[in-house]
Structure formats: C-alpha cells, structure tokens
Amino acid sequence: SGDGYQAWLGFHRIAPGELYDQYAVYNRITVTEKDDIVRTAISELSRGIASILGNEPEVAESGVGVPCIAIGTFGSNPIVDRTFGNDTRSAVGPEGFAIKSDKDNRCIAIGASSGSGILYGVFHLLRLMSTGATIDKLDLVENPVNMLRMINQWDNIDGSIERGYAGKSIFYANNRITGDLERVRDYARLLASSGINAISINNVNVHKYESMLLTQEYLPDVAKFAAIFRSYGIKLFLSINYASPLEIGGLSTADPLDPAVREWWRGKAAEVYAAIPDFGGFLVKADSENRPGPFTYDRDHADGSNMLAEALKPYGGIVIWRCFVYNCKQDWRDRTTDRARAAYDHFKLLDGRFMDNVILQVKNGPMDFQVREPVSPLIGAMEATNQMIEFQITQEYTGQQRHLCYLIPQWKEVLDFETYAKGEGSSIKRIVDGSLYGNRFSGFAAVSNIGNDANWTGHLLAQANLYGYGRLAWNPELAAEGIAEEWIRQTFGGNEKLVRTILGMLMESWSIYESYTAPLGVGWMVNPDHHYGPNVDGYEYSKWGTYHFADCYGIGVDRTQASGTGYAAQYRGANYDRYESVESCPDELLLFFHHVPYAHVLHSGKTVIQHIYDTHFEGAERAEQLKAKWDSLTGSMDEGLHKQVASRLAEQAEHAKEWRDMINTYFYRKSGIADQLGRKIY
Ligand code: GCW
C-alpha cells in the first residue's frame, strides 16, 4: 500500500508467466525443528511466498516429500542432509547458510548450523524471488563477513529521538516502554532481513530515566524487547550511564578502581542477565560531550571499560566503548587543539590495555559524520585492541531525510580505504571484520534512521540506507549499485525504467548534496544545534572546534605536520604524504587539511573560489533534476509512494537554492572575486 510501511518486505505479487511457474513449484515447506528462530523463519517464508504467488504454501512438519523447500539445521532434516555434503557443511559458519536447488526433484534445500543461519537463508531466498531471480539452479554458501552487525538507536524514553528525522520512537513514550510490540517486531523483521544481529535500544546520551532501564522498574519490559529481537536472531544491548553507581546505585563515586563500584557493576550484570540470559552487553559514551566518565576520577578509558567488561565477562557479555571523545570547549586561539586529532590522541596509547571483551567503536571519520571527511586514522592504529566502525544512517549532516542522500557509496569509500596499518592490503574493511589483526570481536555499528512515521524513515528513499547498511555489514564487498538495485526491486517492483531511474537518482545523490553544501571537505556550515540548513559561520565563533577559518584571503584548516595541527601525521606512509602536501592532497579534502587562498588552483584546474561557485550552481540545478526524474515515474508505482517522495524532492530543490545562495554570497563577499560566468550572486 501507499504508506511504505512494508518497506522492502512488500513482496509484490508476480504476474503469471514463466517466472511465476518456476516459483509456484515450491509451494510446500518441510521442516522438523520448532525452536524460536526456525519458527520465525517458517512464518517469514510462508508469508513472503504467499504474497509473491498469491497462495499460502503448505507447511509440513516432516522432512520428507517433494516438491518442497526443505529447511533445517544440519542433522535435522533428511532432505537438507542428503543435499549438503561435508564440504558444504564445514563451509557454513555459525550464522551462515547454504542453499541448493534440485530442479529434477523440484526441491530447494536451505541448510545452516543455527536457527539464525536458517532465517538468513530464508530471507536470502525471498530476496531472490522478490528481485525476479531464477531460483531453480541455486548452489551457494553465504557467511556474514562481520561478526557484529549492529544498530544503535538514539531513542529517549520520553519518546523523542536524538537526531531522529522520522517521527517519534517506536520503543518508548512518556517515560515508559511502549505497549505496541507489533511495531517493534516489524522493525526486527526489517533488520533481520537485511542481516543485522545486534541492537542497542536507547540513546548513548543516557539521561535520568534511561539510566533506570537497568533497574527492576524497567528490566521486565526490556526483556520483552529482547524476546522479540531474539526470535529474529538479534541480540539486545543497552547504552549505560557511566555514573550509574551514583545515579541509581546510591554510591558516592563511580570510580572504576573503587572496589565498591566494581562490586556494584558485578551485581548489576547478574541482575540484567537474570532477566535477559543472552543480553549482549553495554554501549558506553563516556567523557564525551559533557557525559560522565572515568576522567572525573583521574582514570583512563582502559580502566573505565575494563571494569564493565569484568562484570559482563562471566556471562559472555561485551562492552562497546565509543571513541567520540574530544574537547568540546575549545578556544579558537589555541591552534594546537584539533578536534580531528582527539580520538587517536586519547586512545592510541591505550592499545593493549583493554580486556578481550571490550570493543572500541570508532566513527568513520575524525569529526562527526560530515558529508565528506577523511577516514578516521584510529581505525587500524591499535593492533592489540578490538575495534568496530560506527556509521550514521540517520542523516544528521546529510539532509535530515528531507534531502536525498544515498550513503552506501560514502561508506564503501571508507571501507575500501587502504590504511597501510600492516602494509598493503590493510583496508578498513579488513580491520573492522577482525581479519587483519585476528580480533576476537569486531564489526559494524550504525545509528538508525527510523521512527514511528508510517514509512519508518520519513523520506521513503532513505529506507535504502537502512537496508544497504545491513547488506554492507553482511558483506562489504557488495557494490553500492547492486544494493540499491535490490532495494528498488523489492520496494517498487521490477519495471525497468523505474529501476534505472531510481538507481541513477540514488547513485548521484551524495555528490549532489555535497556539491551545494560545505565545499572541499571543510564540513559544518550548518545551523547550530539542530544542524539543518546553511549557516556558514554557524559554528565558526563557538567552542565546538569545527572551524573553517575563512577570511578575506582564504579558507581551510591547516592540519599538516609542517605548519598546522599535525593531524596529517596520524596517517601512515603514503596516506600521510598525500594529505600533508597541498599538491597531492585530493581536491575533495583540500580544505580539511590545508588553508589556501581563494585563487589556489585545484587538480581539476579550477580555482577554489570558482569551484565553490560552480558546484553550488550545479548542485542546485541537479537537485531540481532529481525532482524532474521522479516526476517522470508518475503512474509507474503506487500513487501514495510517488507523492511522498515528490514532496520531499520539491523541498530539497528549494532548499538547495538557499544553500547555493548563502554559500556563494558569503564567499563572494569575503573574497571579492567575481564568478567567471557572471551568474547571479547576491
Ligand atoms: O553528532 C553528534 C550529535 C549528537 C550525538 C553525538 C554522539 C548522541 O550531534 O547528537 O549524541 O554526536 O555521537 O555522541
């Protein structure tokens, strides 16, 4: 229907024809197991097939008889066991699966070593069917590349969502946990179908009532969430308040080395695990943006996280400790303090001191999810420490789900980035999948973009970012185009013109957004606090450390070792050389690393000032074209869906002009240099 609620799980009916006939053979599911996740898998498979074919398949609780889709963990279903030999079985990891078609016997077998594997296998088959793939010649094994594939909710218990752009929380309202568990279950479906296996359900800024999620007042309700997510193979985590011993424990300190504090956390862990035996662990934002942490007690972040890790260890729990630690009360005159340096400077020297059930969660860039940033140099810089990467699906700085910005291409660039941490072949994706250093824990985390809007993400096309995040966490080798295409076909059906048009729009959207906002990697230039809309000097004269240093001569931040903050030296070898030198620094990051005059000539051959004018005029025009492209799809999809997106794109086109004019006029007046093409600049 036209509200987008089904997202990519709409399973459009396919028209009678060859494909229909091919799929229709498999109208019987056989299974012998009854555990929670396998039951979920069967109900998902039946529901999906019923929707695609228009007939509910029969479910037979015995492992025999064809035609069928036989599903089961190895050793449970005779057809599955007959289908997969030892080689295949040993190739299937804990969450992986194998699928094989036997056309002659009209049978497809899905085998796995766990219920989760079965569920992922089922969703894989449904994805193939809902993208129009041939399914009678399948022979594949899939394993997730990353162990942790996590979603972070920034939901507050009053129902608000920090940086949420799609309505209110689906988890909480009025300081209570919601009674609408159906919506939470539907969210679990969306997540599991894209490959997610972990979720933290409250904001990393943990306020008064959220701190109490760890108490008996809330734990029974938290356990209800855990049960829902469990049946979809997703582990539940909580963000905790570092000062909990004080705030909810009645102690007079939260000093991590204080025996009473350690004892308190051990007791707390026991209580949490009594309520939720497979609880994932704690996510912690400490000593960051005015949140409490070990610094208060002159302890470091190894002391702080190890104390929690020790409490969780007996239960197999983990501590995910965020590295977003920086001085947010800077003085612009102090040119040695550089926010970009902070995470590396704080954590690098602690390498080797963290327990093996601690994971450091590092944002993809050194600043804060800007449209363009270099890759965080901390990732890969700690060989004796578990690390995971943090992305932001919610579009805080990339248009807040009013502008179209498909983020997978940005994340792909990050993941493919060569760090040289252990010589060539040390890309970010190999660090965060744990293979480069052989970490015990590692993976992906990302801040969700959903709320209680009917279509989950506000902007319907922003669903592609949620879907794509899960797919990329499962396998970072997938291409951004491929993921987008899968998502489009599942969401809108398979009309080729529609698929090509939306694919083109998604693929150019990041570049469009970048071109009319802050130029050449300098970032920010947004309105303070809510971060929407242009404001070139919005943060320039405040303490947050996000300067661009524009004056009448030039712009940019000198982060070189030679004459600036030295940030460039946090990179290794060729990366350091490339960023340090103004000649070799890539255009798109020039102003992140260098302060240059407006007449500085880029690799593109244009001056910085002309580049600013050109990209802003073009960007606003391209935003206008996005709207026209979408308009050309009128009639080729559900009208409701079409309308929703049309109105967002109209707003984007208007707002892009505001960006264009604000930025252009600012730099025209600062520099006094006219546009070579004499276009209208206010
Ligand atoms: O990007 C900033 C956001 C804050 C957020 C913080 C963080 C949850 O503006 O809203 O707080 O990052 O990542 O901790």
Side-chain angles (χ1 to χ4, degrees):
S1 74
D3 61 7
Y5 186 79
Q6 297 300 327
W8 55 90
L9 297 179
F11 301 117
H12 298 270
R13 177 79 43 87
I14 56 167
E18 217 176 294
L19 203 57
Y20 186 96
D21 295 341
Q22 184 194 122
Y23 291 179
V25 169
Y26 307 101
N27 60 359
R28 199 159 157 276
I29 300 168
T30 78
V31 62
T32 62
E33 289 154 290
K34 287 202 169 65
D35 80 71
D36 220 23
I37 305 187
V38 173
R39 273 217 302 269
T40 307
I42 298 164
S43 90
E44 289 295 339
L45 188 57
S46 315
R47 180 172 171 174
I49 291 180
S51 177
I52 293 169
L53 298 178
N55 303 308
E56 184 101 18
E58 177 201 344
V59 178
E61 290 186 357
S62 78
V64 288
V66 287
C68 72
I69 300 175
I71 70 178
T73 54
F74 301 123
S76 75
N77 182 321
I79 296 181
V80 170
D81 290 335
R82 176 165 91 214
T83 308
F84 300 110
N86 282 337
D87 283 0
T88 307
R89 289 188 201 198
S90 54
V92 174
E95 293 178 294
F97 57 84
I99 306 183
K100 193 166 181 175
S101 321
D102 178 348
K103 195 178 171 193
D104 300 334
N105 290 312
R106 294 178 303 152
C107 182
I108 294 175
I110 304 178
S113 40
S114 69
S116 305
I118 297 290
L119 182 64
Y120 293 130
V122 158
F123 278 125
H124 189 88
L125 181 64
L126 286 170
R127 183 181 312 117
L128 294 173
M129 295 174 78
S130 54
T131 53
T134 296
I135 59 167
D136 58 10
K137 292 189 198 75
L138 301 174
D139 188 2
L140 59 93
V141 171
E142 282 255 345
N143 289 298
V145 171
N146 290 288
M147 174 194 258
L148 270 163
R149 305 178 301 280
M150 185 163 185
I151 281 285
N152 296 170
Q153 298 297 137
W154 281 359
D155 296 35
N156 300 314
I157 207 165
D158 65 3
S160 64
I161 304 176
E162 183 149 354
R163 311 308 176 188
Y165 311 107
K168 296 273 191 188
S169 175
I170 65 163
F171 292 88
Y172 317 99
N174 307 318
N175 294 341
R176 302 299 319 172
I177 282 176
T178 178
D180 183 5
L181 297 179
E182 267 323 293
R183 179 112 205 208
V184 175
R185 182 179 304 280
D186 284 337
Y187 187 39
R189 298 181 62 220
L190 291 174
L191 295 181
S193 69
S194 68
I196 298 299
N197 69 355
I199 187 168
S200 60
I201 58 162
N202 62 304
N203 188 359
V204 289
N205 290 323
V206 186
H207 306 292
K208 181 170 170 206
Y209 290 102
E210 292 81 355
S211 302
M212 287 160 43
L213 289 173
L214 293 178
T215 66
Q216 287 309 327
E217 191 175 345
Y218 289 103
L219 271 177
D221 283 337
V222 174
K224 288 185 193 155
F225 285 151
I228 292 173
F229 285 112
R230 179 181 305 119
S231 66
Y232 279 88
I234 299 168
K235 268 196 185 201
L236 184 132
F237 289 68
L238 288 172
S239 296
I240 58 110
N241 179 345
Y242 197 80
S244 292
L246 292 155
E247 309 248 330
I248 58 169
L251 302 191
S252 58
T253 175
D255 179 353
L257 299 191
D258 185 303
V261 171
R262 301 177 89 87
E263 183 51 39
W264 187 85
W265 279 112
R266 278 197 294 270
K268 212 16 106 181
E271 212 180 321
V272 173
Y273 278 93
I276 308 167
D278 60 348
F279 181 67
F282 298 147
L283 172 62
V284 193
K285 172 176 179 175
D287 292 317
S288 165
E289 300 185 328
N290 310 313
R291 301 310 299 153
F295 287 168
T296 311
Y297 310 98
D298 265 328
R299 312 297 185 196
D300 63 30
H301 282 201
D303 299 327
S305 56
N306 287 341
M307 175 215 24
L308 296 171
E310 185 191 83
L312 296 176
K313 188 139 189 138
Y315 313 94
I318 58 182
V319 173
I320 302 177
W321 189 270
R322 296 177 80 235
C323 296
F324 188 56
V325 179
Y326 68 99
N327 179 355
C328 61
K329 293 180 181 127
Q330 260 178 252
D331 182 329
W332 64 274
R333 278 159 294 226
D334 166 17
R335 296 295 287 266
T336 59
T337 302
D338 178 4
R339 176 165 163 182
R341 292 188 57 121
Y344 186 102
D345 285 346
H346 278 294
F347 286 92
K348 165 80 178 159
L349 66 230
L350 299 177
D351 190 23
R353 292 209 22 232
F354 294 93
M355 282 175 64
D356 70 352
N357 60 330
V358 174
I359 311 177
L360 299 186
Q361 181 168 308
V362 188
K363 289 190 181 184
N364 64 267
M367 296 297 277
D368 196 9
F369 303 130
Q370 300 302 292
V371 68
R372 175 76 64 175
E373 285 188 42
V375 172
S376 169
L378 181 60
I379 304 175
M382 301 176 71
E383 49 186 290
T385 305
N386 299 317
Q387 292 190 328
M388 64 197 287
I389 193 165
E390 177 177 333
F391 294 112
Q392 194 184 43
I393 312 174
T394 194
Q395 290 171 242
E396 177 176 4
Y397 296 98
T398 49
Q400 305 200 349
Q401 281 134 258
R402 301 203 223 169
H403 296 231
L404 179 61
C405 193
Y406 178 54
L407 290 164
I408 312 304
Q410 187 201 52
W411 301 338
K412 287 285 290 183
E413 274 191 26
V414 173
L415 294 164
D416 289 341
F417 182 78
E418 170 61 88
T419 67
Y420 305 107
K422 233 174 129 182
E424 300 223 357
S426 307
S427 57
I428 294 287
K429 62 191 169 198
R430 295 205 46 222
I431 296 157
V432 299
D433 73 13
S435 64
L436 191 74
Y437 295 131
N439 301 99
R440 174 144 180 248
F441 295 105
S442 59
F444 278 38
V447 185
S448 179
N449 63 349
I450 70 109
N452 70 358
D453 277 4
N455 69 5
W456 301 92
T457 51
H459 200 311
L460 181 75
L461 301 187
Q463 288 179 356
N465 287 329
L466 182 64
Y467 176 78
Y469 166 71
R471 297 289 288 140
L472 210 54
W474 179 276
N475 181 6
E477 300 304 327
L478 294 176
E481 291 91 338
I483 292 173
E485 189 174 334
E486 276 178 5
W487 176 78
I488 297 164
R489 289 187 188 277
Q490 291 173 87
T491 306
F492 296 104
N495 168 333
E496 287 309 315
K497 176 187 170 214
L498 171 148
V499 172
R500 293 297 128 207
T501 306
I502 303 179
L503 184 60
M505 293 173 65
L506 290 176
M507 289 307 294
E508 65 174 344
S509 58
W510 174 38
S511 140
I512 294 175
Y513 190 77
E514 180 175 22
S515 68
Y516 59 75
T517 55
L520 298 166
V522 77
W524 308 93
M525 302 193 173
V526 289
N527 283 302
D529 304 331
H530 61 72
H531 299 165
Y532 188 70
N535 187 342
V536 180
D537 283 337
Y539 275 106
E540 194 56 15
Y541 301 104
S542 76
K543 58 191 184 228
W544 290 87
T546 57
Y547 311 110
H548 55 64
F549 296 115
D551 58 19
C552 66
Y553 306 108
I555 178 176
V557 190
D558 185 353
R559 293 193 161 104
T560 64
Q561 174 81 338
S563 55
T565 68
Y567 167 76
Q570 293 182 345
Y571 293 89
R572 292 173 205 241
N575 289 333
Y576 164 63
D577 297 339
R578 200 153 48 97
Y579 294 144
E580 175 77 8
S581 137
V582 70
E583 276 81 45
S584 57
C585 185
D587 286 351
E588 72 270 14
L589 288 171
L590 183 70
L591 303 182
F592 194 93
F593 285 99
H594 299 275
H595 186 88
V596 298
Y598 293 109
H600 173 86
V601 179
L602 298 167
H603 296 124
S604 69
K606 288 182 185 178
T607 61
V608 165
I609 190 72
Q610 194 58 38
H611 171 93
I612 292 175
Y613 297 149
D614 288 352
T615 49
H616 286 75
F617 282 113
E618 283 158 20
E621 221 158 82
R622 290 165 75 200
E624 194 72 47
Q625 286 158 15
L626 282 177
K627 190 169 145 275
K629 287 176 185 163
W630 188 258
D631 288 344
S632 80
L633 299 177
T634 316
S636 54
M637 68 175 73
D638 178 283
E639 202 186 320
L641 296 183
H642 190 270
K643 276 200 176 136
Q644 298 183 23
V645 176
S647 82
R648 299 260 161 171
L649 292 173
E651 181 183 345
Q652 177 178 359
E654 270 316 295
H655 199 224
K657 289 183 206 151
E658 187 186 335
W659 269 101
R660 174 196 67 194
D661 293 339
M662 291 268 262
I663 301 267
N664 281 347
T665 196
Y666 179 96
F667 286 104
Y668 180 36
R669 291 182 60 174
K670 278 267 142 128
S671 70
I673 303 173
D675 172 29
Q676 285 167 358
L677 300 180
R679 288 162 292 195
K680 179 162 183 107
I681 297 178
Y682 293 95

